[in-house]
Amino acid sequence: MGHLEIKRLSKSFDGKEVLKHLSLQVEEGEFLTILGPSGSGKSTLFHLIGGLIEPDQGEIILDSNNITGQRGLISYMPQQPALLPWRTVIDNAMLGEELHGKADKEKAVEMIQKAGLAGYEDSLPDALSGGMKQRVAFIRALLSPQSLICLDEPFSALDDFTRLEMHQWLLAIWAEYKRTILFVTHNIDEALFLSDRIIVLSANPSEIANEYKIPFKRPRNKELLLTEEFLEWKRKLNKSIFQRQDGNETDH
């Protein structure tokens, strides 16, 4: 479960077209990243998938069901951890499950311990660092029953060292629990390090400019970031994003 299909999605705000006939698929168990400059409609796409807003045209299909305009059918992790300050770590982690009438405390404790947060189960969020809060937020997303997890630039507020640590932790946890992930970022290194496949969006309005299948084997470690192959892919993606969108230059 977790197969997502977006069919010719369009959305405008105040007469300005943000998304134009956008179509893509996310396969079950895939880590797909949407990469694009600011203003390319990445967050708008997530709001549409989550049912917070409705498209002007198009459909969103999850596991063969049309979920266009429906809420509560995906697991969503925003840029900020959004932990409830009055709930403990364990209670925040189980929130998604509780909202759907079922919570597995034993599994939540196990995942918290695997996240390196043993001993913090009964702590409030104020006692945690930024990276620790993000781990709790991701555990909450993993424990939620929905088949698709949408991650909206969840590491953008972290320093570089914490961000890299979170990348490695995220991949380790994802490999064990293997959920379908749709990830949004404007960070090229992050997209390359994490993804199975990357879709590059143009802007004004957003369309798919390029799509890349990432060849790096898993598991991945930080040494990958310094390889010539990684740097070559980084150059390719950088060119894809910042080249003039005039149709004179394409990248396959």
Side-chain angles (χ1 to χ4, degrees):
M1 302 292 282
H3 179 270
L4 176 71
E5 185 175 4
I6 292 172
K7 298 181 177 181
R8 296 183 61 79
L9 210 61
S10 296
K11 182 64 180 179
S12 297
F13 295 99
D14 298 324
K16 181 179 180 181
E17 197 170 27
V18 177
L19 299 178
K20 181 178 181 180
H21 298 157
L22 188 70
S23 296
L24 62 88
Q25 290 193 55
V26 190
E27 303 300 329
E28 181 178 350
E30 184 178 27
F31 199 123
L32 175 67
T33 293
I34 304 290
L35 182 65
S38 296
S40 60
K42 302 185 299 295
S43 293
T44 297
L45 177 60
F46 268 10
H47 293 160
L48 288 164
I49 295 171
L52 299 178
I53 57 177
E54 294 194 24
D56 300 327
Q57 296 179 348
E59 294 180 327
I60 302 165
I61 311 296
L62 180 62
D63 298 327
S64 300
N65 298 310
N66 190 329
I67 66 166
T68 310
Q70 298 184 45
R71 300 186 183 189
L73 300 178
I74 66 164
S75 182
Y76 177 73
M77 182 175 168
Q79 294 180 19
Q80 300 299 324
L83 303 180
L84 298 179
W86 60 87
R87 290 178 68 105
T88 63
V89 165
I90 186 70
D91 289 336
N92 267 292
M94 295 191 299
L95 180 60
E97 286 186 299
E98 287 180 13
L99 293 175
H100 288 81
K102 182 181 179 181
D104 186 340
K105 186 172 183 177
E106 184 176 335
K107 185 176 182 181
V109 169
E110 175 188 339
M111 292 183 70
I112 288 170
Q113 292 175 346
K114 287 182 178 179
L117 297 175
Y120 286 93
E121 293 88 348
D122 296 320
S123 298
L124 294 174
D126 281 349
L128 307 181
S129 68
M132 294 164 76
K133 290 176 182 177
Q134 290 291 51
R135 293 185 186 211
V136 177
F138 187 64
I139 290 170
R140 179 179 60 197
L142 274 176
L143 287 171
S144 296
Q146 298 92 340
S147 60
L148 173 69
I149 300 176
C150 290
L151 305 180
D152 188 358
E153 300 192 51
F155 310 128
S156 60
L158 303 178
D159 63 76
D160 289 344
F161 294 105
T162 305
R163 182 192 291 248
L164 179 57
E165 179 185 338
M166 286 297 301
H167 291 167
Q168 295 177 95
W169 175 82
L170 171 60
L171 289 182
I173 294 293
W174 174 71
E176 183 171 354
Y177 294 95
K178 210 62 184 283
R179 301 279 292 281
T180 304
I181 291 181
L182 182 59
F183 186 84
V184 157
T185 185
H186 61 266
N187 186 295
I188 294 175
D189 284 27
E190 186 168 73
L192 281 171
F193 189 70
L194 295 174
S195 310
D196 293 317
R197 188 161 50 100
I198 295 173
I199 288 176
V200 177
L201 293 183
S202 64
N204 303 317
S206 284
E207 301 175 282
I208 293 178
N210 283 296
E211 180 177 335
Y212 302 96
K213 185 173 177 61
I214 305 305
F216 308 137
K217 295 180 180 179
R218 298 187 185 276
R220 298 173 185 172
N221 55 51
K222 61 183 179 181
E223 283 73 27
L224 172 65
L225 299 169
L226 299 178
T227 65
E228 184 57 38
E229 185 182 16
F230 187 92
L231 294 176
E232 181 59 35
W233 270 95
K234 184 175 179 179
R235 285 190 285 268
K236 179 187 291 189
L237 283 172
N238 188 76
K239 178 181 177 182
S240 178
I241 292 172
F242 295 108
Q243 68 185 356
R244 289 174 59 87
Q245 300 295 320
D246 56 8
N248 294 328
E249 190 175 7
T250 55
D251 201 6
H252 300 288

